[in-house]
Amino acid sequence: MVVLSDEMWRSQFGEDPHMVGRTISLNRTKFVVIGVAAQGFRGLDPWPSEFWAPVTMQKAFEPDSDLLPEDNTGWLSLLGRMRPGVSLEKVRADLSVIAGRLDQQYAGRTTTLTVRRATFMGRSEERTVVFGIGAVVLAAVALVLLIACANVANLLLARASARQKEIAIRLSIGGSRWRIVRQLLTESLLIAFLGGTAGSLLAFWSVEGIARYLLAHLPHGVPPLVWDVSPDLHVWGYSFALTAVTGIVFGLTPALYATQQDLSTAVKGDGGGFLGRRSSGGMLRSSLVGVQVAVCMVLLIASGLLMRGLYLAQTVDPGFEMKGMTQARFDLPSQGYNAERAQAFQRELIARVEALPGVDEVEQARAMPLGNQFLGTGLTPAGETESRQFEFNVVSPGFFTILGMPMVRGRAFTEAEAQSDAPVLVVTESTARRLWPGQDAIGKTLRETPPAGAAFGVLGNVDEKKAYQVVGIVKDSQVSHLGQSDGLFLYMPAGPKEQQVLQLLVHSNGGDVATINGIRKAARMLDADLIVDVTRLADNLELWRTPSRMVATLSGVLGALALLLASIGVHGVVSYGVSQRIREIGIRMTLGAGGRDVLSLVLRQALRPVVIGALVGVIACAAVSQVLSDVLYGLGAHDPFAFIGVPVFLLGAAFLASYLPARRASRVDPIVALRYE
C-alpha cells in the first residue's frame, strides 16, 4: 500500500480519479495506491516526500538490510497526538518508564529518548544546522542594524543641537522635561516606523524571489527543498517590535541629551563644538562613530575572510585530476542485486563503457572523490592497544593512475590482490607520518577493530584477527573534505565481494556530454529500470563551494552596506562639526592659522574615534573569526591579508569621508566666518 503526494499524483498520473486502487511499481515492488495526500502536504521535513508506505515495507526499499527485527536499532521517529489536558512532561515521563522496562530485558542496552512537540524539521541535527546558520545571519544583520541606528542617533543629536535654543525657551517658560522628551521620542518613533514599514515591505516583496532563486541553484546531489518563507503574524509582530525597540532606544538618548542643558547658555545660542573635549554632545557623537566603525570592521573582516576562502575554494587544487573525468553512481542493493548479479552487471557495464568513443580508462571506487560519501572504521596499529578512527575507500588498482595521484613510496594494488581480496592497504602521506613518525610505513600492519554501534561503516567481510599490510603510500589529496588532507585515510583493493557497492570513474577525451550520454545508454541497455546518476567529477566541487559562495555573497552585501552606512555617518558627523565651528575656524585663520593647519586639526579630531573603533573591531573579529573556520577552505581564521588589507581599506574610506568636509573648512574665508551665525 502507498499514499501519493498531491504533486506526484498530478505530475505522474494527470489527476486520474481512478488512480486509487490501482497498482504502481516503485523500486521494483508493486504497491496499491490507497489515497492521495492533501494538497500542499509534503511531510514534516525540508525534503519533500513523494509518497508514503507502511513501515513494514522497509525491506522492499532497502533489500540489503532488514531493520524491523533489530531490537537494539533506533531508526524510527514516533508521532502521536496527545489527549486533551495531557502535558508534554507527562508523556515524556510515561515513555521513559516504558523505555526503562525495555532496557531491563536486554543486557547493556540504554535507550535515549528525545521527546518534543512535532514541528517542521523536527530532528535535532537538522535544527542545529539551520539554527546555527540562522544565528550567524541574524548576528550579521543585527550589526548592520546597529550601524544604521547609530547613524540615526547621530542625526537626532545634530537635530537636537540645532534646536537647542528652541528647547531651552520651552523649558524656561514652564515646559516639563518629560513632555519635551516625549515629543522628541515621538518624532524618532515616527521616523523608525516609516523606515521599518518601508524595509519590511521591501523584504517581504523580495524574500520569496530570493528563496526561489537559491533553491533553484542548489548544487547537483542536493535533494530538492521546500521552504515556506511567506510572512505571517509572527514575522510582522517581530518586525513591529524590533522597529519600536530601536526607535525608543536610539531616540531616547538624544532626547535626554537635548533636554539636559544650561538654559542661560542655550538661550544665548552658545552651541557646543564639534568633537570638542568640553562638549558632551561631541563626545557622544564620537562614541557613536567609534561604534559604527568597530561594527563595520567586524563585518568587513568577516567578509574579507569569506571572500578569500571563496576564491581559494574556486581555485583550489584538490590533489587529483578532474579534467575529462566522469562519474557514474548507482545503488545496486536497493534494486535487488545480489553479489553474483552485481558482479555480472559491473563486468558488462565496464566493457560497454570502455568501448565508447574517446574513453581510455574505467576504474571503480566505493566513494567518489569529494562526493559527500564518508566511510570509516576502527583500526589498531601493530604494537598499540588503542583503536584509531580511519576514513577509507575501496578502489580498483588503477584508481590512483586515472586520478593522477602519485605514489610516494611503495606501489598500488595489483589485479591479483584485488581479485583475491588480499589484506593490503595504501595509506596517505599524512597517515604514514602520524602513525609511524620517522619510520618507513611500508610493511607496517593494521588490525581492524569492530566499531560497536558506531555510525561509521565497516570495511566489510573482514576477519577481526586479520592483519592488513601497508604496500604503498600515496600523496595527500582532498578526496574526502575540501580543504582537508591531513586526516587518517587509507585505501583497500576492490574485489569481487565489493561489487554491489562500487561505482564507476571514467576518463575520456571525447567530451563530457558525449561520455555522459554514452554511459547512461550503456546502463539503460543492461537494466532499463536502474537509476544511474552520471555527472562530471568536477561537479562534486560545487557541493562544497555552494555554502561558501552563499555565505560570502551575503557577507559581502552586508559588509558593503555597513561600509556605506559607516562612511555616511563619518561624513555627516564631520560635516555637522565643521558647520558648528565656522566661527572658531575663522578666528583661528585670522590669528594666523593656515588652511593646512585647519585641515590637519579637523582630520585629527575626526579620525581619532575612527582609529579607536577600528582597533576595537579588529580585536573583536580576531576573537570571533573561529566561527567562520568551517567555510574557510585552505585559509586560517586569522588570515593576514584580511586583517591588514581590510582595516587599511576602511581607514582609507573614513579618511576620504572626513577629508571632503575638512577640505571645505580649510577654504573658509575668515571674514565670512567671523560674520557667521
Side-chain angles (χ1 to χ4, degrees):
M1 298 181 296
V2 67
V3 174
L4 304 180
S5 68
D6 179 71
E7 286 77 6
M8 183 177 182
W9 176 45
R10 294 174 184 272
S11 62
Q12 298 293 327
F13 307 106
E15 303 185 34
D16 182 2
H18 304 293
M19 192 63 215
V20 176
R22 290 171 56 181
T23 301
I24 63 172
S25 178
L26 297 172
N27 207 45
R28 301 180 187 268
T29 303
K30 300 295 184 181
F31 288 88
V32 177
V33 178
I34 63 173
V36 178
Q39 184 176 359
F41 179 75
R42 304 297 297 273
L44 298 179
D45 295 316
W47 298 276
S49 299
E50 297 292 345
F51 62 89
W52 294 265
V55 70
T56 53
M57 299 298 297
Q58 175 268 324
K59 189 171 175 55
F61 295 97
E62 298 176 293
D64 58 332
S65 61
D66 189 2
L67 299 177
L68 284 175
E70 295 291 334
D71 296 323
N72 294 324
T73 300
W75 60 284
L76 287 175
S77 297
L78 301 181
L79 293 174
R81 186 182 298 275
M82 296 187 299
R83 293 177 179 175
V86 177
S87 65
L88 190 64
E89 288 71 23
K90 186 177 187 309
V91 173
R92 187 179 290 113
D94 291 344
L95 290 177
S96 298
V97 172
I98 296 173
R101 291 174 180 172
L102 291 175
D103 289 342
Q104 294 176 359
Q105 301 176 15
Y106 302 93
R109 167 173 162 166
T110 302
T111 300
T112 302
L113 288 176
T114 302
V115 183
R116 62 170 65 91
R117 294 190 179 276
T119 59
F120 178 71
M121 202 167 53
R123 286 191 288 269
S124 58
E125 57 271 19
E126 296 170 354
R127 298 172 71 88
T128 300
V129 173
V130 174
F131 286 172
I133 296 174
V136 173
V137 173
L138 282 177
V141 173
L143 293 179
V144 175
L145 177 64
L146 179 60
I147 296 176
C149 290
N151 259 350
V152 173
N154 256 331
L155 292 174
L156 292 175
L157 276 173
R159 178 174 173 79
S161 296
R163 300 173 63 184
Q164 200 172 37
K165 181 178 292 188
E166 171 201 340
I167 294 173
I169 292 175
R170 290 191 177 199
L171 291 172
S172 299
I173 61 177
S176 67
R177 184 186 181 192
W178 171 235
R179 184 173 182 178
I180 298 176
V181 167
R182 280 186 306 174
Q183 176 188 340
L184 297 177
L185 198 57
T186 301
E187 294 175 0
S188 67
L189 280 173
L190 180 60
I191 296 173
F193 279 119
L194 289 175
T197 301
S200 298
L201 292 175
L202 178 62
F204 295 154
W205 170 76
S206 61
V207 69
E208 292 191 27
I210 295 174
R212 283 196 301 269
Y213 176 83
L214 293 177
L215 295 179
H217 290 78
L218 291 175
H220 180 79
V222 176
L225 300 176
V226 174
W227 294 97
D228 183 10
V229 294
S230 57
D232 56 15
L233 291 178
H234 295 89
V235 178
W236 282 107
Y238 171 78
S239 303
F240 178 84
L242 184 63
T243 301
V245 169
T246 53
I248 293 174
V249 171
F250 289 91
L252 185 61
T253 300
L256 293 176
Y257 160 75
T259 56
Q260 187 179 11
Q261 53 183 305
D262 183 8
L263 296 183
S264 61
T265 303
V267 170
K268 293 177 182 178
D270 187 13
F274 159 65
L275 296 176
R277 295 177 182 175
R278 295 171 298 172
S279 170
S280 60
M283 292 297 296
L284 183 56
R285 285 192 292 271
S286 298
S287 300
L288 289 173
V289 168
V291 169
Q292 291 181 68
V293 172
V295 174
C296 183
M297 182 67 72
V298 172
L299 288 172
L300 284 179
I301 291 181
S303 299
L305 287 171
L306 291 169
M307 291 293 183
R308 283 267 291 155
L310 176 61
Y311 171 77
L312 293 178
Q314 295 292 123
T315 59
V316 66
D317 178 12
F320 57 87
E321 184 63 43
M322 291 183 291
K323 185 177 181 180
M325 301 298 303
T326 304
Q327 57 187 356
R329 294 187 279 192
F330 36 80
D331 187 358
L332 296 181
S334 67
Q335 299 298 310
Y337 280 74
N338 56 27
E340 292 75 15
R341 189 182 172 196
Q343 292 179 31
F345 175 84
Q346 293 273 18
R347 184 168 54 250
E348 183 64 26
L349 180 60
I350 291 175
R352 289 175 180 266
V353 173
E354 286 178 335
L356 294 175
V359 173
D360 51 25
E361 193 170 359
V362 180
E363 298 297 336
Q364 294 175 296
R366 186 169 175 180
M368 290 292 110
L370 294 178
N372 201 31
Q373 300 167 296
F374 309 105
L375 307 171
T377 191
L379 291 173
T380 304
E384 297 184 11
T385 57
E386 292 294 328
S387 172
R388 305 200 189 195
Q389 285 295 326
F390 289 77
E391 282 195 70
F392 74 94
N393 199 357
V394 181
V395 301
S396 59
F399 177 85
F400 306 107
T401 303
I402 194 175
L403 289 176
M405 298 167 59
M407 302 299 297
V408 178
R409 283 185 54 78
R411 60 175 176 81
F413 309 124
T414 65
E415 287 291 345
E417 289 171 336
Q419 293 302 317
S420 62
D421 291 315
V424 291
L425 303 172
V426 170
V427 300
T428 61
E429 277 186 291
S430 57
T431 301
R433 285 194 302 267
R434 290 175 60 181
L435 294 182
W436 304 286
Q439 304 179 45
D440 187 0
I442 302 299
K444 299 293 185 181
T445 58
L446 296 168
R447 193 180 306 278
E448 188 189 22
T449 305
F456 275 114
V458 294
L459 295 181
N461 304 314
V462 178
D463 185 352
E464 179 186 351
K465 298 181 180 179
K466 196 173 184 179
Y468 296 84
Q469 187 178 49
V470 177
V471 298
I473 303 174
V474 68
K475 188 176 180 60
D476 286 337
S477 58
Q478 302 169 28
V479 293
S480 181
H481 302 265
L482 188 64
Q484 300 178 16
S485 60
D486 56 353
L488 295 177
F489 201 99
L490 56 87
Y491 298 89
M492 293 188 68
K497 297 179 181 179
E498 299 285 344
Q499 295 301 309
Q500 284 179 287
V501 292
L502 295 181
Q503 304 160 14
L504 293 191
L505 198 57
V506 182
H507 182 269
S508 68
N509 298 312
D512 295 330
V513 175
T515 303
I516 289 173
N517 292 335
I519 295 173
R520 286 175 178 164
K521 183 178 179 181
R524 196 179 304 116
M525 292 177 65
L526 292 175
D527 187 344
D529 295 328
L530 180 65
I531 299 175
V532 181
D533 182 24
V534 187
T535 59
R536 299 181 310 137
L537 183 62
D539 292 341
N540 288 354
L541 277 174
E542 293 304 310
L543 192 65
W544 299 88
R545 289 170 173 169
T546 298
S548 176
R549 184 182 298 114
M550 289 182 176
V551 174
T553 301
L554 176 62
S555 66
V557 171
L558 293 178
L561 181 59
L563 178 62
L564 176 63
L565 291 174
S567 299
I568 292 174
V570 172
H571 180 272
V573 169
V574 177
S575 296
Y576 173 75
V578 168
S579 67
Q580 293 294 99
R581 300 180 68 183
I582 293 294
R583 184 179 181 84
E584 174 196 340
I585 291 172
I587 294 174
R588 287 178 180 271
M589 298 184 73
T590 302
L591 295 177
R596 290 181 177 271
D597 298 324
V598 173
L599 180 66
S600 175
L601 173 67
V602 175
L603 286 177
R604 187 169 59 251
Q605 294 184 349
L607 291 178
R608 185 182 297 120
V610 171
V611 173
I612 295 174
L615 290 175
V616 173
V618 170
I619 295 173
C621 195
V624 302
S625 59
Q626 292 293 339
V627 178
L628 306 174
S629 59
D630 289 341
V631 291
L632 298 178
Y633 301 118
L635 190 69
H638 300 145
D639 178 58
F641 183 86
F643 275 85
I644 295 176
V646 170
V648 170
F649 176 73
L650 178 58
L651 291 176
F655 175 82
L656 181 62
S658 305
Y659 176 77
L660 297 177
R663 183 169 174 268
R664 187 171 63 250
S666 66
R667 296 185 174 185
V668 169
D669 185 346
I671 302 301
V672 175
L674 291 174
R675 295 173 180 172
Y676 179 79
E677 287 295 330

